């Protein structure tokens, strides 16, 4: 079904965007990034809500509650949790909503420990390396795939004798 509302989650230290390692993450603040996300969502005709937390449990709670809150998909930058949080991975695998993993930097071209994502195998897909545009591309992907609920009639099973 077409996506009506998306949740955007920013993980730890992303509240420091603008001043945090600008050579890696750029000069845009989190408020700037959220404004770009909101504008883009408006153009796509999708409602969006952006949230940030430095706490793993809070991100798990938001993932678990997303469907109940009416969101059809999630764009998430898990920050450093990307590389080791089995709790976030399990939440993504459990919820049944499409989750697009996004990163400002190209994690695959950075330190060895950043090249592995424990989230990627259970996410619907990953966008990395495009700065704030990564979030917009993540929203585009959600808009194209919809909320994961198929509108097609279920296929009839062929009875074998
Ligand atoms: C990040 C990449 C992570 O390795 C890092 O810990 C972050 C930001 C990114 O957006 O490029 O906090 O997720």
């Amino acid at each position: 079904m077409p996506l009506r509302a998306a949740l955007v989650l920013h993980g730890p230290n992303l509240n420091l965007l603008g001043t945090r390692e600008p050579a890696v993450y750029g000069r845009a603040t989190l408020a700037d990034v959220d404004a770009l996300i909101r504008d883009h969502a408006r153009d796509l005709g999708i409602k969006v809500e952006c949230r940030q937390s430095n706490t793993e449990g809070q991100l798990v709670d938001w993932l678990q509650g997303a469907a109940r809150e009416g969101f059809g998909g999630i764009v998430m930058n898990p920050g450093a949790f990307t590389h080791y949080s089995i709790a976030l991975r399990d939440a993504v695998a459990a919820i049944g909503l499409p989750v697009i993993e996004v990163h400002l930097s190209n994690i695959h071209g950075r330190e060895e420990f950043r090249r592995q994502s424990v989230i990627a195998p259970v996410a619907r897909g990953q966008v990395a390396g495009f700065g704030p545009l990564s979030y917009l591309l993540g929203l585009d992907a959600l808009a194209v795939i919809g909320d994961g609920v198929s509108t097609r009639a279920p296929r009839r099973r062929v009875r074998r004798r």
Side-chain angles (χ1 to χ4, degrees), residues 12 14 20 25 77 79-80 82-83 102-105 107 110 114:
L14 293 164
R20 174 194 183 196
Y25 299 116
N77 182 347
T82 304
H83 314 297
V102 302
H103 298 282
L104 295 155
S105 64
I107 56 172
R110 298 184 62 195
R114 290 188 207 275

Side-chain angles (χ1 to χ4, degrees), residues 125-149:
Q126 186 193 66
V127 183
F130 300 101
L133 178 61
S134 292
Y135 288 91
L136 311 189
L137 294 170
L139 268 185
D140 285 345
L142 275 186
V144 170
I145 66 178
D147 64 6
V149 179

Side-chain angles (χ1 to χ4, degrees), residues 11-138:
N13 298 309
L14 293 164
N15 54 314
L16 300 180
L17 283 181
T19 55
R20 174 194 183 196
E21 300 183 79
V24 179
Y25 299 116
R27 294 247 171 235
T29 65
L30 187 62
D32 296 335
V33 173
D34 284 347
L36 290 172
I37 292 169
R38 277 194 291 271
D39 283 355
H40 193 63
R42 196 178 315 119
D43 291 346
L44 292 171
I46 296 170
K47 277 194 205 155
V48 77
E49 189 166 320
C50 302
R51 301 177 186 167
Q52 188 276 330
S53 178
N54 292 325
T55 308
E56 189 180 28
Q58 176 65 84
L59 293 164
V60 169
D61 286 345
W62 283 335
L63 286 166
Q64 287 186 12
R68 209 180 320 121
E69 289 191 76
F71 297 108
I74 298 167
V75 171
M76 175 166 71
N77 182 347
F81 289 144
T82 304
H83 314 297
Y84 67 91
S85 174
I86 306 303
L88 274 188
R89 175 198 168 110
D90 286 351
V92 169
I95 60 174
L97 288 181
V99 176
I100 313 291
E101 175 188 341
V102 302
H103 298 282
L104 295 155
S105 64
N106 178 7
I107 56 172
H108 303 288
R110 298 184 62 195
E111 303 96 316
E112 194 66 43
F113 69 88
R114 290 188 207 275
R115 295 186 189 166
Q116 198 210 349
S117 166
V118 299
I119 310 294
V122 291
R124 185 63 192 268
Q126 186 193 66
V127 183
F130 300 101
L133 178 61
S134 292
Y135 288 91
L136 311 189
L137 294 170

